[in-house]
Amino acid sequence: MKTDQIITLVMLLTVLTVVRAQEPMTFHAPQGMSASTSWSQVAAPVLVQAPTPQPASTAGYHPEASDSYISRMGVSCGLGASSSPADTKATAGCGAGLTLLPLPIFLEMGVMGPQANRSYLSGYISLDGSIPLARPSAKYLPLAIVGYSRLFETGHALDYGLALALPRFGKPRDPSGSLRIELRDYWTFANPTQHNVMLRIGWMGEEVD
């Protein structure tokens, strides 16, 4: 009798074990997740790529041409020599001016001296035009200069020369400004004649209507 009971108990345990093995396995899900969700439906962690650092900008010339190459206002100063049949002297001068919009004429007033003839120091007023020798959109723009000057203590003069307009340093970069390098002669054609040859550097800003 005991043997039959043992055999029956073993068979019952075996059946229960098989049934238990066939039931779906569940787990305790975190809050917000269904308990019937299978492991295959659990999202894998996503790796986020860190942004690539960008190189810092460096100061330097502005990369484009400036409207102040043609339509401008600013200050120019320089050194040179004043020469006449009577004498030759080292000279210096500074002037400030602006473009007389809408005309392409630059009005400048300043002072220059010493003069080789007649006076030690002379104020002047100039009316000049600039002719581009390359495309106006060029980063470095060469120009021809021609105009009239009145040196108040010396006489009437024809002024002419060459200029180079170029971007200027800036941080932040400023496209409305430029530098201007000029080699100019103020030729006084009164008797006696006199040449004031000047190498000048100008700091220019854009002039608008």
Side-chain angles (χ1 to χ4, degrees):
M1 185 68 177
K2 290 184 178 181
T3 303
D4 294 338
Q5 291 178 349
I6 294 173
I7 293 174
T8 302
L9 182 59
V10 171
M11 292 178 63
L12 181 58
L13 290 175
T14 304
V15 171
L16 290 175
T17 302
V18 173
V19 172
R20 184 68 175 176
Q22 292 178 351
E23 290 181 355
M25 183 180 63
T26 59
F27 66 96
H28 294 285
Q31 186 177 2
M33 181 182 294
S34 174
S36 61
T37 304
S38 64
W39 284 105
S40 62
Q41 293 175 315
V42 178
V46 179
L47 297 178
V48 179
Q49 185 177 3
T52 304
Q54 299 296 325
S57 59
T58 56
Y61 285 121
H62 190 275
E64 303 296 337
S66 171
D67 290 337
S68 64
Y69 288 178
I70 305 297
S71 176
R72 70 192 194 280
M73 59 187 303
V75 177
S76 297
C77 292
L79 299 171
S82 178
S83 178
S84 75
D87 199 1
T88 297
K89 297 179 180 178
T91 190
C94 281
L98 51 78
T99 303
L100 299 177
L101 297 175
L103 300 175
I105 302 298
F106 189 75
L107 171 65
E108 180 180 334
M109 299 183 68
V111 64
M112 188 186 310
Q115 302 290 308
N117 187 54
R118 294 192 181 181
S119 70
Y120 183 78
L121 192 65
S122 179
Y124 68 88
I125 183 171
S126 296
L127 291 171
D128 301 306
S130 296
I131 304 170
L133 302 179
R135 292 180 295 104
S137 59
K139 181 177 178 180
Y140 301 97
L141 181 62
L143 304 109
I145 306 169
V146 63
Y148 164 79
S149 293
R150 170 65 182 180
L151 281 68
F152 297 125
E153 301 298 328
T154 305
H156 303 284
L158 171 69
D159 67 83
Y160 57 93
L162 295 172
L164 178 64
L166 64 159
R168 70 187 185 197
F169 286 108
K171 188 177 182 181
R173 296 172 179 174
D174 181 10
S176 65
S178 64
L179 294 175
R180 188 178 179 93
I181 302 174
E182 296 181 350
L183 180 61
R184 182 187 295 225
D185 180 19
Y186 299 84
W187 174 35
T188 305
F189 41 83
N191 188 18
T193 62
Q194 176 178 287
H195 290 274
N196 286 0
V197 180
M198 302 283 292
L199 178 62
R200 310 197 316 165
I201 297 178
W203 185 272
M204 298 297 158
E206 180 183 354
E207 183 181 356
V208 296
D209 293 331

